[in-house]
Amino acid sequence: MKLFSKEQIYEGDKLTTERQKITSTDLMERAGIQIFNWIHTRMQGAQVPIHVFCGIGNNGGDGLVLARHLVTHGYNVVTYIVNCSDKRTKDFLFNYDRIKNVTKDWPKMLSCKNDFSEIVIKEEDIIVDAVFGIGLNRPPNDWVKALFAQFKTSKAFTLSIDIPSGLYTDKVIEDENNVVNANYTLSFQSPKLVFFLPETAKYTVQWEVLDIGIDRDYLIQTETDIELISKHEVLPLYKPRSKFSNKGDFGHVMILGGSYGKIGAVNLASRAALGAGAGLVTAYTPKCGYHSLQSAVPEVMLITDSDETHITNISYDIEPTVIGVGVGLGTSARTAKTFEAFLKTNKTPLVIDADGLNLLSKKKALLKLLPEQTIITPHPKELERLIGKWSDDFEKLKKVKAFSKKYNVIVLIKGANSITVYQDKLYINTTGNPGMATAGSGDVLTGIISSLVAQGYEHLSATIFAVYLHGKSADIELEDYGYQSLIASHIIEGIGKAYIDLFKQPEQPNEVEQQEETPQ
């Protein structure tokens, strides 16, 4: 799914009105009706008090359309106008006049000097937040902040329209009290980047996209800098296997790593590479890894260093398709020297994780030795060592883009919503869960990415697909183990189920679903 920027959304709205020969007010009506349908489908006329808070811009206009349809369908609605400026949009004013024609209880005008005595919200009520939209460019005043605080204090279910009020689309906020804490956000046409970043995702617990009929050609033809990756996006990447294929058709992964006490990292990465479909896997470890790997993973071939405890000399006579390097490697002086010598001669595609990244960060000149489109998979601290500190998530993304372009590498920023970055493009993953915050999870991911590269997937596609499979496997296994008991080996066990899930048809409801009612 494409994630459109604020500017692209405005352009899409404009083109839609021109090409479909409708007014901006008509488009606002569509948006409000879609919100109403969403609520009506779930509430079916229940008389729970609904408090609709509308700003005086277009987001407030959407709220007024919603409130009008709720009133005409007999819901228990109180509408408020957060009247803190005299800059009302024409579509807001049009819908303000329309709602006055369908109810005796006109919207309550809240001056920014009023106290909150007339606003009574109980925990069992519903708040609809339509105060500010994506056009917000400055923090709300103290009175509005106090209103948002009252929303939070009430503990009422809060539904935000398009974006939680006070949240920007392209920068972080200075004060968390400036933003509505939404239980749910209904976002028009596409989600917003801020729904997925660590510093801003907390302001909406869940989100959903509403299609308001933006021009289809515009949506299809417009390139975006951000894509959201789900099953729909990875399924076309999948490479089916021929009946007459053999193991040589699916590449040879070499996992280069391990040190005394950390051979398990190589075990995990090697098993994951096999589980994700590599034809052959060879592990390259110190001598201390020989017996444990040969007995624990019989499918994996093994080459050992001459040193008992660390990698001190990298020499082999095989021709791997890809090398996954760094898991459990250690950062000793001899290993660092060996790693540098390896990079100076290596021409094989690389996937670099863990101590491989730490060695790069200690001597950044080595970054120039990496093959084109090398895949690096840092967690936050490893990333910081590579690109330096950042002030917020937006600066972090800017620095990662610059890093990717400078060295022509693919950077996977690991986290709750792992983001793959290549050049100026971001790919945000949607699978995974907190149970993956466990030792060895990253080693498994390195193995899966290496496996897909070996099987002939383009490096960017391999990274995107592997991150999806990694998270999906964990989601499937979570049903049996829960967050606390999920371990890295469980994720490996779920890789096959994640592949099968790609082709699983959604379950059909047992009963005929009620048709959504579209108001006239």
Side-chain angles (χ1 to χ4, degrees):
M1 177 187 291
K2 296 177 179 179
L3 268 64
F4 294 90
S5 68
K6 177 172 64 176
E7 293 74 22
Q8 288 174 324
I9 291 169
Y10 287 146
E11 179 65 18
D13 288 351
K14 181 173 176 290
L15 281 175
T16 299
T17 59
E18 293 172 356
R19 292 175 180 177
Q20 298 180 9
K21 299 186 179 355
I22 60 174
T23 66
S24 57
T25 307
D26 294 330
L27 190 58
M28 184 174 285
E29 185 73 12
R30 278 187 199 172
I33 287 173
Q34 286 293 77
I35 304 163
F36 168 79
N37 283 338
W38 189 92
I39 293 174
H40 186 50
T41 300
R42 287 153 182 79
M43 292 187 65
Q44 293 295 305
Q47 290 300 295
V48 178
I50 303 174
H51 305 264
V52 183
F53 288 86
C54 304
I56 54 177
N58 285 347
N59 195 253
D62 296 330
L64 287 171
V65 175
L66 166 65
R68 172 163 46 85
H69 288 294
L70 289 170
V71 168
T72 57
H73 283 74
Y75 282 92
N76 182 2
V77 185
V78 183
T79 309
Y80 308 86
I81 305 299
V82 181
N83 187 39
C84 291
S85 171
D86 56 1
K87 296 180 181 178
R88 299 166 179 79
T89 65
K90 68 178 182 66
D91 291 334
F92 166 84
L93 290 170
F94 179 85
N95 282 296
Y96 182 60
D97 287 337
R98 289 193 74 181
I99 194 172
K100 290 193 294 186
N101 293 330
V102 300
T103 178
K104 297 180 296 181
D105 299 321
W106 286 11
K108 297 181 184 298
M109 196 67 67
L110 301 177
S111 165
C112 277
K113 298 176 182 177
N114 291 13
D115 62 26
F116 297 110
S117 59
E118 62 183 282
I119 305 174
V120 179
I121 305 173
K122 298 179 181 178
E123 186 173 349
E124 59 270 22
D125 295 355
I126 293 172
I127 295 170
V128 176
D129 157 37
V131 181
F132 301 127
I134 61 174
L136 185 69
N137 57 16
R138 64 181 185 275
N141 63 35
D142 289 343
W143 186 91
V144 175
K145 286 170 62 175
L147 178 65
F148 293 170
Q150 179 152 337
F151 292 175
K152 188 174 183 178
T153 301
S154 74
K155 298 183 180 179
F157 179 88
T158 302
L159 175 69
S160 285
I161 304 307
D162 204 24
I163 192 171
S165 288
L167 197 58
Y168 306 114
T169 60
D170 53 3
K171 61 181 179 179
V172 298
I173 58 166
E174 298 172 0
D175 180 355
E176 64 179 18
N177 296 316
N178 291 349
V179 182
V180 168
N181 286 260
N183 298 93
Y184 215 102
T185 299
L186 298 178
S187 185
F188 298 138
Q189 215 61 58
S190 83
K192 312 297 185 278
L193 172 61
V194 287
F195 296 172
F196 308 100
L197 301 180
E199 294 174 330
T200 52
K202 62 185 176 182
Y203 296 109
T204 182
V205 178
Q206 290 181 278
W207 57 268
E208 189 172 326
V209 170
L210 295 182
D211 184 352
I212 61 172
I214 298 299
D215 182 78
R216 288 293 155 192
D217 288 341
Y218 177 79
L219 296 177
I220 293 168
Q221 295 167 8
T222 301
E223 290 295 323
T224 63
D225 292 336
I226 310 169
E227 287 193 30
L228 194 64
I229 304 300
S230 62
K231 182 191 292 191
H232 178 77
E233 285 73 31
V234 299
L235 193 54
L237 302 177
Y238 175 78
K239 291 179 178 289
R241 294 195 168 190
S242 163
K243 176 181 178 179
F244 299 101
S245 56
N246 63 75
K247 64 185 177 185
D249 296 327
F250 304 118
H252 189 165
V253 173
M254 186 165 84
I255 299 297
L256 172 57
S259 56
Y260 187 80
K262 295 181 181 178
I263 298 301
V266 179
N267 178 317
L268 290 167
S270 300
R271 288 169 55 209
L274 285 167
L280 298 163
V281 177
T282 295
Y284 193 113
T285 72
K287 278 187 178 179
C288 62
Y290 183 80
H291 293 291
S292 67
L293 281 171
Q294 287 282 268
S295 57
V297 197
E299 299 91 345
V300 171
M301 297 175 285
L302 193 65
I303 301 173
T304 61
D305 192 276
S306 57
D307 191 89
E308 182 70 25
T309 61
H310 291 81
I311 297 291
T312 60
N313 177 46
I314 301 172
S315 177
Y316 50 88
D317 58 4
I318 62 172
E319 294 184 7
T321 315
V322 60
I323 301 173
V325 56
V327 295
L329 184 64
T331 57
S332 69
R334 291 182 68 187
T335 298
K337 185 177 180 181
T338 302
F339 182 62
E340 180 175 351
F342 164 72
L343 290 180
K344 286 179 177 177
T345 59
N346 173 67
K347 302 299 179 185
T348 304
L350 297 178
V351 180
I352 306 179
D353 185 28
D355 285 331
L357 299 175
N358 293 327
L359 291 171
L360 289 174
S361 65
K362 287 183 176 182
K363 191 171 184 179
K364 293 190 172 66
L366 299 180
L367 290 163
K368 296 179 180 179
L369 302 177
L370 301 180
E372 289 190 355
Q373 294 196 341
T374 288
I375 301 162
I376 66 173
T377 64
H379 61 53
K381 290 306 293 184
E382 290 166 346
L383 181 64
E384 184 182 296
R385 294 183 197 115
L386 285 169
I387 68 171
K389 293 182 181 293
W390 52 82
S391 60
D392 58 53
D393 287 335
F394 287 95
E395 186 186 12
K396 175 178 70 177
L397 292 175
K398 182 179 179 181
K399 294 183 81 165
V400 172
K401 287 178 182 179
F403 182 89
S404 173
K405 286 189 281 190
K406 181 177 181 179
Y407 297 108
N408 192 17
V409 295
I410 296 165
V411 184
L412 170 60
I413 307 173
K414 291 189 288 197
N417 291 110
S418 292
I419 302 177
T420 300
V421 181
Y422 184 57
Q423 309 287 354
D424 282 320
K425 190 101 179 199
L426 308 178
Y427 302 86
I428 302 175
N429 188 54
T430 58
T431 58
N433 61 75
M436 300 173 76
T438 184
S441 178
D443 303 324
V444 172
L445 180 56
T446 296
I448 299 174
I449 297 173
S450 301
S451 179
L452 294 183
V453 172
Q455 292 173 66
Y457 288 84
E458 293 179 353
H459 291 200
L460 181 58
S461 297
T463 309
I464 294 167
F465 194 7
V467 176
Y468 174 87
L469 287 172
H470 185 242
K472 189 63 182 180
S473 171
D475 290 342
I476 292 169
E477 294 301 308
L478 184 70
E479 297 178 13
D480 290 330
Y481 296 102
Y483 293 134
Q484 290 77 15
S485 298
L486 189 73
I487 62 174
S489 291
H490 297 150
I491 299 174
I492 297 172
E493 292 164 9
I495 295 171
K497 300 171 192 173
Y499 271 120
I500 292 170
D501 182 78
L502 288 172
F503 305 96
K504 199 174 188 180
Q505 296 300 316
E507 292 183 10
Q508 297 300 315
N510 293 327
E511 299 177 3
V512 178
E513 294 183 342
Q514 257 188 332
Q515 295 293 316
E516 291 183 347
E517 181 178 357
T518 302
Q520 300 300 316

